[in-house]
Amino acid sequence: MAKDGSVNELLLFLLSKKGIYVSGEELSEKFGVSRTAIWKQINRLRELGYEIDSVPRVGYCLKKSPDLLLPEEIVQNGPFEFLASKIYHYTSIGSTNDEAKKLAQMGAPHGTLVIAEEQTGGRGRLGRKWVSPPGQGIWLSIILRPSLEPSEAPRITMACAVAAAKAIRQEVGVNCLIKWPNDLLIDGKKVAGILTEMSADMDKIHYVVTGIGMNVNNAEFPPDIEKTATSLKLASGEEVERLKILTQFLSQFEEIYRSLEGGKFEAILGEWRQLSCNLGKRVRIIGRNFELEGTALDVDGDGALLIKTDEGQVERVLSGDVSLRE
Ligand code: ADP
């Protein structure tokens, strides 16, 4: 809510006292501002959709939060180790990845989150459009400053995919699978996509921005993706609380990121394999200047897919579009 990525302490305090009346006097003493200033801030929160009751001589009571992914709501659902150090929240933005890259260039710390209620220019790989309507999904980017080799950056996409799939499985109870390299599927339809971008020298990563777009409560999609996209709501038949999924994802991501930095990539790879919908299946891959068909054998430490072709050769594919053949 605050422009510099820090949290609004008054809202944080009211959230910690949800359902309890706190006097204006107590609030003005606690925050060292006048009661009028408190009253003004309360009204600003009401404008955002917070239901705050006020009773003369008794005080204010936060009754209900709006369905917004505000930093204070996220922090309240913590604790997080490094992910919530700074959280930038936007009602509408072009692309959270673009904003995160700008912030990273200006020195934003490891773990900074950029969240938008709506993206007007959400992107997938190769600049493809990512549909991100207001309030219906989680459109988020994370700034990371990992101690990995540049060639190992795809590991972050893999870690992010595992964390998101686990969060979805745990909170919604649906069979969410990972489609190499960067999608999450439910019943063969795309529920989320991940876009990892980095700034690096030959041998050193300056920063990585990992973005995830997750369809949560979308009830419908534009005609061109109607048959290939789904949301958690469509898959489960129920409205899903975005904040719950988001905070579950963040804690899963922190845990898995710790393993990644701790040199335990094999463990992540093991989880990735278990959640993959590609391995052991026949796939066709269309890359920028090649086309390949065969059986997907495994993924290696650089995130490359290993394909056994019909001629019996094993090919290593770093990027491309996969379609499942069976
Ligand atoms: P892929 O991994 O399939 O190549 P990208 O990462 O390039 O996908 O993501 C962009 C593509 O995803 C778009 O071209 C479109 O087909 C599809 N798409 C766009 N928005 C959504 C969405 N909200 N949910 C599911 N699929 C989408």
Side-chain angles (χ1 to χ4, degrees):
M1 189 146 42
K3 294 268 180 299
D4 64 353
S6 55
V7 294
N8 175 334
E9 296 292 342
L10 172 65
L11 175 53
L12 207 54
F13 185 68
L14 290 175
L15 282 170
S16 73
K17 302 260 178 211
K18 210 167 186 171
I20 299 169
Y21 282 85
V22 192
S23 73
E25 198 176 340
E26 185 185 334
L27 292 173
S28 85
E29 259 170 40
K30 184 169 171 60
F31 295 105
V33 294
S34 70
R35 285 168 68 170
T36 316
I38 294 288
W39 177 75
K40 276 190 186 152
Q41 281 210 47
I42 293 277
N43 280 341
R44 218 165 291 141
L45 292 173
R46 283 176 173 150
E47 276 163 26
L48 280 171
Y50 280 90
E51 276 178 34
I52 301 172
D53 196 20
S54 58
V55 176
R57 283 181 297 278
V58 176
Y60 300 103
C61 173
L62 175 57
K63 299 265 178 178
K64 199 165 177 264
S65 296
D67 177 28
L68 292 174
L69 301 176
L70 293 173
E72 294 75 10
E73 300 278 357
I74 295 168
V75 170
Q76 181 68 18
N77 278 271
F80 299 105
E81 259 173 47
F82 68 93
L83 277 181
S85 59
K86 291 258 179 222
I87 308 175
Y88 292 81
H89 174 268
Y90 302 86
T91 306
S92 180
I93 203 166
S95 141
T96 57
N97 261 36
D98 288 348
E99 184 66 16
K101 283 194 281 184
K102 258 189 245 160
L103 290 165
Q105 262 148 26
M106 292 187 319
H110 176 65
T112 299
L113 302 182
V114 178
I115 300 174
E117 297 295 326
E118 170 191 43
Q119 289 186 112
T120 52
R123 291 183 289 109
R125 290 180 304 157
L126 308 171
R128 293 169 186 149
K129 187 177 161 58
W130 185 264
V131 175
S132 322
Q136 293 179 33
I138 295 169
W139 326 122
L140 157 88
S141 298
I142 308 174
I143 297 172
L144 299 166
R145 299 185 182 277
S147 54
L148 298 173
E149 299 286 323
S151 66
E152 293 171 336
R155 296 182 180 191
I156 295 173
T157 302
M158 295 172 76
C160 184
V162 170
K166 283 171 81 173
I168 289 174
R169 285 167 167 261
Q170 193 159 322
E171 295 296 332
V172 192
V174 289
N175 186 24
C176 180
L177 296 171
I178 301 170
K179 180 181 169 217
W180 184 89
N182 65 333
D183 292 333
L184 295 185
L185 308 184
I186 301 173
D187 296 331
K189 292 181 174 185
K190 204 191 287 195
V191 70
I194 296 163
L195 180 67
T196 301
E197 299 180 282
M198 75 169 163
S199 159
D201 288 337
M202 290 296 282
D203 55 358
K204 188 180 182 309
I205 294 180
H206 302 309
Y207 64 81
V208 166
V209 166
T210 291
I212 180 158
M214 189 189 292
N215 305 322
V216 181
N217 287 319
N218 313 53
E220 53 189 12
F221 291 96
D224 58 325
I225 55 168
E226 201 175 40
K227 292 201 169 65
T228 54
T230 191
S231 68
L232 298 180
K233 180 180 173 172
L234 289 172
S236 68
E238 280 170 16
E239 191 92 2
V240 174
E241 205 184 314
R242 287 186 305 158
L243 187 63
K244 220 168 68 176
I245 300 285
L246 172 60
T247 49
Q248 178 64 243
F249 163 69
L250 294 177
S251 49
Q252 295 280 357
F253 187 75
E254 279 202 332
E255 194 182 322
I256 207 159
Y257 192 83
R258 218 178 302 128
S259 303
L260 189 61
E261 287 276 2
K264 297 191 193 126
F265 175 66
E266 274 302 316
I268 300 169
L269 190 55
E271 289 197 284
W272 192 96
R273 285 187 183 117
Q274 295 257 311
L275 291 164
S276 162
C277 70
N278 299 113
L279 300 187
K281 301 267 170 57
R282 251 192 110 64
V283 292
R284 174 191 278 170
I285 308 222
I286 302 171
R288 222 171 277 183
N289 44 22
F290 68 92
E291 210 178 308
L292 199 75
E293 209 171 308
T295 306
L297 294 181
D298 204 357
V299 171
D300 70 14
D302 295 338
L305 191 63
L306 307 179
I307 312 278
K308 187 169 187 186
T309 64
D310 296 339
E311 291 74 43
Q313 270 163 317
V314 176
E315 301 277 352
R316 211 173 149 263
V317 184
L318 267 167
S319 69
D321 290 325
V322 186
S323 56
L324 284 168
R325 308 302 290 169
E326 57 187 41

